[in-house]
Coordinates of all heavy atoms in Angstrom, one line a residue:
L104 N -46.4 10.8 8.0 CA -47.4 11.8 8.2 C -48.2 11.9 6.9 O -47.7 12.1 5.8 CB -46.8 13.2 8.5 CG -47.8 14.4 8.6 CD1 -48.8 14.2 9.7 CD2 -47.0 15.7 8.8
G105 N -49.5 11.6 7.0 CA -50.4 11.6 5.8 C -50.0 10.6 4.7 O -50.1 10.9 3.6
G106 N -49.5 9.5 5.2 CA -49.0 8.4 4.3 C -47.7 8.7 3.6 O -47.3 8.0 2.7
R107 N -47.0 9.7 4.0 CA -45.7 10.1 3.4 C -44.6 10.1 4.5 O -44.8 10.4 5.7 CB -45.8 11.5 2.7 CG -46.8 11.4 1.6 CD -47.3 12.8 1.3 NE -46.3 13.6 0.5 CZ -46.6 14.8 0.0 NH1 -47.8 15.4 0.2 NH2 -45.6 15.5 -0.7
R108 N -43.4 9.8 4.1 CA -42.2 9.8 5.0 C -41.7 11.2 5.0 O -41.4 11.8 3.9 CB -41.2 8.8 4.5 CG -41.6 7.4 4.5 CD -40.5 6.5 4.1 NE -39.9 6.8 2.8 CZ -38.8 6.5 2.3 NH1 -37.9 5.8 3.0 NH2 -38.4 6.8 1.1
V109 N -41.4 11.7 6.2 CA -40.9 13.1 6.4 C -39.6 13.0 7.2 O -39.6 12.5 8.3 CB -41.9 14.0 7.1 CG1 -41.3 15.4 7.2 CG2 -43.2 14.1 6.3
R110 N -38.6 13.5 6.6 CA -37.3 13.6 7.4 C -37.2 15.0 8.0 O -37.3 16.0 7.2 CB -36.1 13.4 6.4 CG -34.7 13.6 7.0 CD -34.4 12.6 8.1 NE -33.0 12.6 8.4 CZ -32.3 13.5 9.2 NH1 -33.0 14.4 9.8 NH2 -31.1 13.4 9.4
I111 N -37.1 15.1 9.3 CA -37.0 16.4 9.9 C -35.8 17.1 9.6 O -34.7 16.6 9.8 CB -37.1 16.2 11.5 CG1 -38.5 15.6 11.8 CG2 -37.0 17.6 12.2 CD1 -38.6 15.2 13.3
E112 N -35.9 18.3 9.0 CA -34.7 19.0 8.4 C -33.9 19.7 9.6 O -34.4 20.2 10.6 CB -35.3 20.1 7.5 CG -34.2 20.8 6.7 CD -34.8 21.7 5.7 OE1 -36.1 21.8 5.6 OE2 -34.1 22.4 4.9
G113 N -32.6 19.6 9.4 CA -31.7 20.3 10.2 C -31.2 19.6 11.5 O -30.5 20.2 12.3
I114 N -31.7 18.3 11.7 CA -31.2 17.6 12.9 C -30.7 16.2 12.4 O -31.0 15.7 11.3 CB -32.3 17.4 13.9 CG1 -33.4 16.4 13.5 CG2 -32.9 18.8 14.3 CD1 -34.4 16.1 14.6
D115 N -30.0 15.5 13.3 CA -29.6 14.1 13.0 C -29.6 13.4 14.4 O -29.0 13.8 15.3 CB -28.2 14.1 12.4 CG -27.9 12.9 11.7 OD1 -28.8 12.1 11.4 OD2 -26.7 12.6 11.3
A116 N -30.4 12.3 14.5 CA -30.6 11.6 15.7 C -29.9 10.2 15.6 O -29.7 9.7 14.5 CB -32.1 11.4 16.0
P117 N -29.6 9.6 16.7 CA -29.0 8.3 16.7 C -29.9 7.3 15.9 O -31.1 7.4 16.0 CB -28.9 7.9 18.2 CG -28.8 9.2 18.9 CD -29.7 10.1 18.1
E118 N -29.2 6.4 15.2 CA -30.0 5.4 14.4 C -30.5 4.3 15.3 O -30.0 4.0 16.4 CB -29.0 4.8 13.3 CG -28.5 5.8 12.4 CD -29.6 6.4 11.4 OE1 -30.6 5.7 11.3 OE2 -29.4 7.5 10.9
I119 N -31.5 3.6 14.8 CA -32.0 2.4 15.5 C -30.9 1.4 15.5 O -30.3 1.1 14.5 CB -33.3 1.9 14.7 CG1 -34.4 2.9 14.7 CG2 -33.7 0.6 15.4 CD1 -34.9 3.3 16.1
G120 N -30.6 0.9 16.6 CA -29.5 -0.1 16.8 C -28.2 0.6 17.3 O -27.3 -0.1 17.6
Q121 N -28.2 1.9 17.3 CA -27.0 2.6 17.8 C -27.0 2.7 19.3 O -28.0 3.1 19.9 CB -26.9 4.0 17.2 CG -25.7 4.8 17.6 CD -25.5 6.1 16.9 OE1 -26.2 6.4 16.0 NE2 -24.6 6.9 17.4
S122 N -25.9 2.4 19.9 CA -25.7 2.5 21.3 C -24.8 3.6 21.7 O -23.9 4.0 20.9 CB -25.2 1.2 21.9 OG -26.1 0.1 21.7
C123 N -25.0 4.2 22.9 CA -24.1 5.2 23.4 C -23.6 4.8 24.8 O -24.1 3.7 25.3 CB -24.9 6.6 23.5 SG -25.5 7.1 21.8
R124 N -22.8 5.6 25.3 CA -22.2 5.1 26.6 C -22.4 6.2 27.7 O -22.2 7.4 27.4 CB -20.7 4.8 26.4 CG -20.1 4.0 27.6 CD -18.8 3.4 27.2 NE -18.2 2.6 28.2 CZ -18.6 1.3 28.5 NH1 -19.5 0.8 27.7 NH2 -18.0 0.6 29.4
R125 N -22.7 5.8 28.9 CA -22.9 6.7 30.0 C -22.1 6.1 31.2 O -22.6 5.1 31.7 CB -24.3 6.9 30.3 CG -24.6 8.0 31.3 CD -26.1 8.1 31.5 NE -26.8 8.8 30.4 CZ -27.9 8.4 29.9 NH1 -28.5 7.3 30.4 NH2 -28.5 9.1 28.9
G126 N -21.0 6.6 31.5 CA -20.2 6.0 32.5 C -19.6 4.7 32.0 O -19.0 4.6 30.9
K127 N -19.9 3.6 32.7 CA -19.4 2.3 32.3 C -20.5 1.5 31.6 O -20.3 0.4 31.1 CB -18.9 1.5 33.5 CG -17.7 2.0 34.1 CD -17.2 1.2 35.3 CE -16.0 1.7 35.9 NZ -15.5 0.9 37.0
D128 N -21.7 2.1 31.4 CA -22.9 1.4 30.9 C -23.2 1.9 29.5 O -23.1 3.1 29.2 CB -24.1 1.6 31.8 CG -23.8 1.1 33.2 OD1 -23.1 0.0 33.3 OD2 -24.3 1.7 34.2
D129 N -23.6 0.9 28.6 CA -24.2 1.2 27.3 C -25.7 1.4 27.4 O -26.3 0.8 28.2 CB -23.8 0.1 26.3 CG -22.4 0.0 26.0 OD1 -21.7 1.0 26.2 OD2 -21.9 -1.1 25.7
W130 N -26.2 2.3 26.6 CA -27.7 2.5 26.6 C -28.1 2.7 25.1 O -27.4 3.1 24.3 CB -28.1 3.6 27.5 CG -27.6 5.0 27.1 CD1 -26.3 5.4 27.3 CD2 -28.3 6.1 26.5 NE1 -26.1 6.7 26.8 CE2 -27.3 7.2 26.4 CE3 -29.6 6.3 26.1 CZ2 -27.7 8.4 25.9 CZ3 -30.0 7.5 25.6 CH2 -29.0 8.6 25.5
D131 N -29.3 2.3 24.8 CA -29.9 2.3 23.5 C -30.4 3.7 23.1 O -31.5 4.0 23.2 CB -31.0 1.2 23.4 CG -31.4 0.9 21.9 OD1 -31.0 1.8 21.0 OD2 -32.0 -0.1 21.7
C132 N -29.4 4.5 22.7 CA -29.8 5.9 22.4 C -30.6 6.1 21.2 O -31.4 7.0 21.1 CB -28.5 6.8 22.3 SG -27.2 6.1 21.2
G133 N -30.5 5.1 20.2 CA -31.3 5.2 19.0 C -32.8 5.0 19.4 O -33.7 5.7 18.9
A134 N -33.1 3.9 20.2 CA -34.5 3.7 20.6 C -35.0 4.8 21.5 O -36.2 5.2 21.4 CB -34.5 2.3 21.4
E135 N -34.1 5.4 22.4 CA -34.6 6.5 23.2 C -34.9 7.7 22.4 O -35.9 8.4 22.7 CB -33.4 6.8 24.2 CG -33.8 7.9 25.2 CD -34.9 7.4 26.2 OE1 -35.1 6.2 26.4 OE2 -35.6 8.4 26.7
A136 N -34.2 8.0 21.4 CA -34.5 9.1 20.5 C -35.9 8.9 19.8 O -36.6 9.9 19.7 CB -33.4 9.3 19.4
R137 N -36.1 7.7 19.4 CA -37.5 7.5 18.7 C -38.6 7.7 19.8 O -39.6 8.2 19.4 CB -37.5 6.1 18.2 CG -38.9 5.8 17.5 CD -38.9 4.5 16.7 NE -38.5 3.4 17.5 CZ -38.5 2.1 16.9 NH1 -38.7 1.9 15.6 NH2 -38.1 1.1 17.7
R138 N -38.4 7.2 21.0 CA -39.4 7.4 22.0 C -39.7 8.9 22.3 O -40.8 9.3 22.5 CB -39.0 6.6 23.3 CG -39.2 5.1 23.2 CD -39.1 4.5 24.6 NE -37.7 4.5 25.1 CZ -36.8 3.6 24.9 NH1 -37.1 2.5 24.2 NH2 -35.6 3.7 25.5
R139 N -38.6 9.6 22.3 CA -38.7 11.0 22.6 C -39.5 11.7 21.4 O -40.4 12.6 21.7 CB -37.4 11.7 22.7 CG -37.3 13.2 22.8 CD -38.1 13.7 24.0 NE -38.1 15.1 24.2 CZ -38.9 15.8 24.9 NH1 -39.9 15.2 25.6 NH2 -38.9 17.2 25.0
L140 N -39.2 11.4 20.2 CA -39.9 12.0 19.1 C -41.4 11.5 19.1 O -42.3 12.4 18.9 CB -39.3 11.6 17.8 CG -39.9 12.1 16.5 CD1 -40.0 13.7 16.5 CD2 -39.2 11.6 15.3
A141 N -41.7 10.3 19.4 CA -43.1 9.8 19.5 C -43.8 10.6 20.6 O -45.0 10.9 20.4 CB -43.1 8.3 19.8
S142 N -43.2 10.9 21.7 CA -43.9 11.7 22.7 C -44.2 13.1 22.3 O -45.1 13.7 22.8 CB -43.0 11.7 24.0 OG -41.9 12.5 23.9
L143 N -43.3 13.7 21.4 CA -43.6 15.0 20.9 C -44.7 15.2 20.0 O -45.4 16.2 19.9 CB -42.3 15.6 20.3 CG -41.1 15.9 21.2 CD1 -39.9 16.2 20.3 CD2 -41.4 17.0 22.1
V144 N -44.9 14.1 19.2 CA -46.0 14.1 18.1 C -47.3 13.4 18.6 O -48.3 13.4 17.8 CB -45.5 13.6 16.8 CG1 -44.3 14.4 16.3 CG2 -45.1 12.1 16.9
G145 N -47.2 12.7 19.7 CA -48.4 11.9 20.1 C -49.6 12.7 20.5 O -49.4 13.8 21.2
A146 N -50.8 12.3 20.2 CA -52.0 12.9 20.6 C -52.2 14.3 20.3 O -52.9 15.1 21.0 CB -52.2 12.7 22.1
T147 N -51.6 14.8 19.2 CA -51.7 16.2 18.8 C -51.4 16.3 17.3 O -50.9 15.3 16.7 CB -50.8 17.1 19.6 OG1 -51.1 18.5 19.2 CG2 -49.3 16.8 19.3
T148 N -51.9 17.4 16.7 CA -51.7 17.5 15.2 C -50.3 18.0 15.0 O -49.7 18.9 15.6 CB -52.7 18.5 14.7 OG1 -54.0 18.0 14.9 CG2 -52.4 18.8 13.2
T149 N -49.6 17.4 14.0 CA -48.3 17.8 13.5 C -48.4 18.5 12.2 O -49.1 18.0 11.3 CB -47.4 16.6 13.4 OG1 -47.2 16.0 14.7 CG2 -46.0 17.0 12.9
R150 N -47.7 19.6 12.1 CA -47.6 20.3 10.8 C -46.2 20.4 10.3 O -45.3 20.7 11.1 CB -48.2 21.7 11.0 CG -49.7 21.8 11.4 CD -50.2 23.2 11.6 NE -51.5 23.2 12.0 CZ -52.6 23.1 11.2 NH1 -52.4 23.0 9.9 NH2 -53.8 23.1 11.7
C151 N -46.0 20.2 9.0 CA -44.6 20.2 8.4 C -44.6 21.1 7.2 O -45.5 21.0 6.3 CB -44.2 18.8 8.1 SG -43.9 17.7 9.5
R152 N -43.7 22.0 7.2 CA -43.5 22.8 5.9 C -42.4 22.1 5.2 O -41.3 21.9 5.7 CB -43.0 24.2 6.3 CG -44.0 25.0 7.2 CD -43.7 26.4 7.3 NE -42.3 26.7 7.7 CZ -41.9 26.6 9.0 NH1 -42.8 26.4 10.0 NH2 -40.7 26.9 9.3
L153 N -42.7 21.7 4.0 CA -41.8 20.8 3.2 C -40.9 21.7 2.3 O -41.3 22.7 1.7 CB -42.6 19.9 2.4 CG -43.6 19.0 3.1 CD1 -44.4 18.1 2.2 CD2 -42.9 18.2 4.3
H154 N -39.6 21.2 2.2 CA -38.6 21.9 1.3 C -37.9 20.8 0.4 O -36.7 20.6 0.5 CB -37.6 22.6 2.2 CG -38.2 23.6 3.1 ND1 -38.2 23.4 4.5 CD2 -38.8 24.8 2.9 CE1 -38.8 24.5 5.0 NE2 -39.2 25.3 4.1
G155 N -38.6 20.2 -0.4 CA -38.0 19.2 -1.3 C -37.9 17.8 -0.7 O -38.5 17.5 0.3
R156 N -37.0 17.0 -1.3 CA -36.8 15.6 -0.9 C -35.3 15.4 -0.7 O -34.5 16.0 -1.3 CB -37.4 14.6 -1.9 CG -38.9 14.7 -2.1 CD -39.3 13.8 -3.3 NE -40.7 13.9 -3.5 CZ -41.6 13.1 -3.0 NH1 -41.2 12.1 -2.2 NH2 -42.9 13.2 -3.3
D157 N -35.0 14.4 0.1 CA -33.6 13.9 0.3 C -33.3 12.9 -0.8 O -34.2 12.5 -1.6 CB -33.3 13.5 1.7 CG -34.1 12.2 2.1 OD1 -34.7 11.6 1.2 OD2 -34.0 11.8 3.3
R158 N -32.1 12.3 -0.7 CA -31.7 11.3 -1.7 C -32.5 10.0 -1.6 O -32.4 9.2 -2.6 CB -30.2 11.1 -1.5 CG -29.8 10.5 -0.2 CD -28.3 10.4 0.0 NE -27.7 9.5 -1.0 CZ -26.4 9.2 -1.0 NH1 -25.6 9.7 -0.1 NH2 -25.9 8.3 -1.9
Y159 N -33.2 9.8 -0.5 CA -34.0 8.6 -0.4 C -35.4 8.7 -0.6 O -36.2 7.9 -0.4 CB -33.7 8.0 1.0 CG -32.3 7.7 1.3 CD1 -31.6 8.5 2.3 CD2 -31.5 6.8 0.6 CE1 -30.2 8.3 2.5 CE2 -30.2 6.6 0.8 CZ -29.6 7.3 1.8 OH -28.2 7.1 2.0
G160 N -35.8 9.9 -1.2 CA -37.2 10.2 -1.6 C -38.1 10.6 -0.4 O -39.3 10.8 -0.6
R161 N -37.5 10.9 0.8 CA -38.2 11.4 1.9 C -38.4 12.9 1.8 O -37.6 13.6 1.3 CB -37.5 11.1 3.2 CG -37.4 9.6 3.5 CD -36.6 9.3 4.8 NE -35.2 9.9 4.7 CZ -34.3 9.7 5.6 NH1 -34.6 9.0 6.7 NH2 -33.1 10.2 5.4
E162 N -39.6 13.4 2.2 CA -39.8 14.8 2.3 C -38.9 15.4 3.3 O -38.8 14.8 4.4 CB -41.3 15.1 2.6 CG -42.3 14.4 1.7 CD -42.5 15.1 0.4 OE1 -41.9 16.2 0.1 OE2 -43.3 14.6 -0.5
L163 N -38.4 16.5 3.0 CA -37.6 17.3 4.0 C -38.5 18.4 4.6 O -39.1 19.2 3.8 CB -36.4 17.9 3.4 CG -35.2 17.0 3.1 CD1 -34.1 17.7 2.3 CD2 -34.6 16.4 4.4
G164 N -38.6 18.4 5.9 CA -39.6 19.4 6.4 C -39.2 19.9 7.8 O -38.5 19.2 8.6

Side-chain angles (χ1 to χ4, degrees):
L104 178 59
R107 296 159 75 174
R108 297 183 302 161
V109 180
R110 173 66 165 84
I111 299 174
E112 190 174 357
I114 73 172
D115 202 12
E118 298 291 337
I119 300 299
Q121 180 176 350
S122 295
C123 301
R124 195 162 185 82
R125 188 180 286 137
K127 295 182 179 180
D128 301 322
D129 293 333
W130 60 289
D131 194 339
C132 50
E135 183 64 26
R137 180 169 60 179
R138 284 193 291 269
R139 174 59 179 164
L140 181 56
S142 70
L143 290 172
V144 301
T147 185
T148 298
T149 298
R150 299 179 181 275
C151 295
R152 301 190 310 276
L153 307 178
H154 302 112
R156 298 172 181 267
D157 67 5
R158 62 186 296 183
Y159 304 111
R161 298 175 298 184
E162 306 281 358
L163 283 173

